[in-house]
Amino acid sequence: METVVEIRHLKKSFGKNEVLKDINLKIEKGENMVVFGKSGSGKSILIKCLVGLVQPDAGEVLILGKDICKLNDDELNALRKKVGFLFQSGALYDSMSVRENLEFPLRGNKTNTKEETEALVIEALKNVGLEDAIDKMPTELSGGMRKRIGLARTLILKPEIILYDEPTTGLDPITSKEISHLILEVQKKFNTSSIIITHDVECARLTANRMIIIKEGTSDITGTFKELSESKDETIRAYFQ
Amino acid sequence: MIASIKIFFEEVAHLAMFTFQFFKQVFKPSYEFKEFIKQCYLIGYKSFPLIGLTGFIMGLVLTIQSRPTLVDFGAESWLPAMVAVSIIREIGPVITALIFAGKVGSGIGAELASMKVTEQIDAMEVSGTNSFKYLVVPRIAAATLMLPLLVISADVIALYGSYIGCNINGDVSFPLFILQVFEKLSFADIFPAVIKTFFFGFSIALIGCFKGYNATNGTQGVGKAANAAVVYASLGVFIIDMIAVQLTNLF
């Protein structure tokens, strides 16, 4: 199996607050890894470290074999095009229509003609089932639609790795289930590897190949959904109730 | 007290690094030319009605208010020249820059801050786009180039306002008014006044971008960034003006 993400002894503090003390993990190609943890345990900081939005204090973060802490700006931007990031809120650009939002990541690619760009936009929207929303503004979309469009914008660059930051938070159970199925579809269709930060047990059950629980800044608790949800340790089982 | 001084110097250091980053990015290809043109339209063209109206009122009011004093000294004929020198050398650039800081500085601060707190700037970064180059560089460049044009426009409109002001209580033909204005105006009045407006525009957009781009604390941070952008940009205008006056007097 090919390892696409490897984190070794990652540490991150904010002032005196040591959020991540020693994180170690490996993700193989085509694998979905779900990350659980209490609010404020550093889950979002962890995935922000993976794309260089937050600089770790110590440790190594290897993405597709490259240590992101050692890359210059151009190399980091090139690597970021291979890593999709779905933000909790969708983070759609307010001043742009859905079409412009999806075209935005492609703007650096001068080889695409206008027709090719249009085809890529429509294909990405088809993948999330929202072709009709192409000319809408983000303010006209519901929470679930915003997340789907955010995912379409992520998929348009055909990333090898996708990082989901609480993809089902704030959604009703039916829409949450639809988003979880969409994550699975994306995994099957594009053979992407994913890290999914969530508190949603149902989302974890549906999407996880493997899970990790961040507790006291470490990543020692790891296993499949079944192993962890049926753990003899009551404190681990508590995450699934 | 010591903590406040430390925070102040940290802020100044961050602003200096932000400015350095601007100069590093502005000359480095590729260029965001389309975004620059869009910002010129939004910052320059869209500000014109407000600046024009302010300029007209400025010329009219200054003329009406100055007239009685000049009449007392029997120097009523000096009114067009005195108002023109005041407007072109000082009042036009400073008032226009302050209005510009209120409209454009706060707008940039609020827009970038809301993008920051809703993770839109992070989303740009993770899609492989240099957000500083896309958001900050075109806004600062556009404001630097647009404010001088707005000041020149405001000066012209203010002179027209002054002409109307002169004719409320007097009778001055337009050619005579223009002749009296340019009789007392020299290149040394116009050139330094225009040059300093480039610095006004640069500092207003720089402070707006700096406050917005580094906003924190959610929606509260957006309000703070917009407010701080106006306050510090206005203060910056006065400081630059003071330095510009001293330098002009040297020559």
Side-chain angles (χ1 to χ4, degrees), chain A residues 48 51 53 74 77 80-81 83 85 87-89 91-94 96 104-105 107 153 157, chain B residues 24-25 28 32 38 111 114-115 118-130 134:
Chain A
K48 284 183 178 175
V51 284
L53 286 177
D74 292 336
N77 282 337
R80 279 170 169 170
K81 288 185 190 290
V83 183
F85 196 121
F87 287 85
Q88 195 175 337
S89 60
L92 300 181
Y93 309 128
D94 292 336
M96 300 181 196
F104 191 86
R107 45 197 283 291
R153 190 178 64 186
L157 288 173
Chain B
K24 197 178 148 193
Q25 297 287 345
K28 191 178 159 193
E32 298 289 352
K38 184 183 162 192
E111 187 187 10
S114 66
M115 287 187 78
T118 55
E119 297 180 308
Q120 291 176 51
I121 292 181
D122 285 347
M124 267 184 199
E125 286 288 330
V126 296
S127 71
T129 301
N130 183 337
Y134 183 79

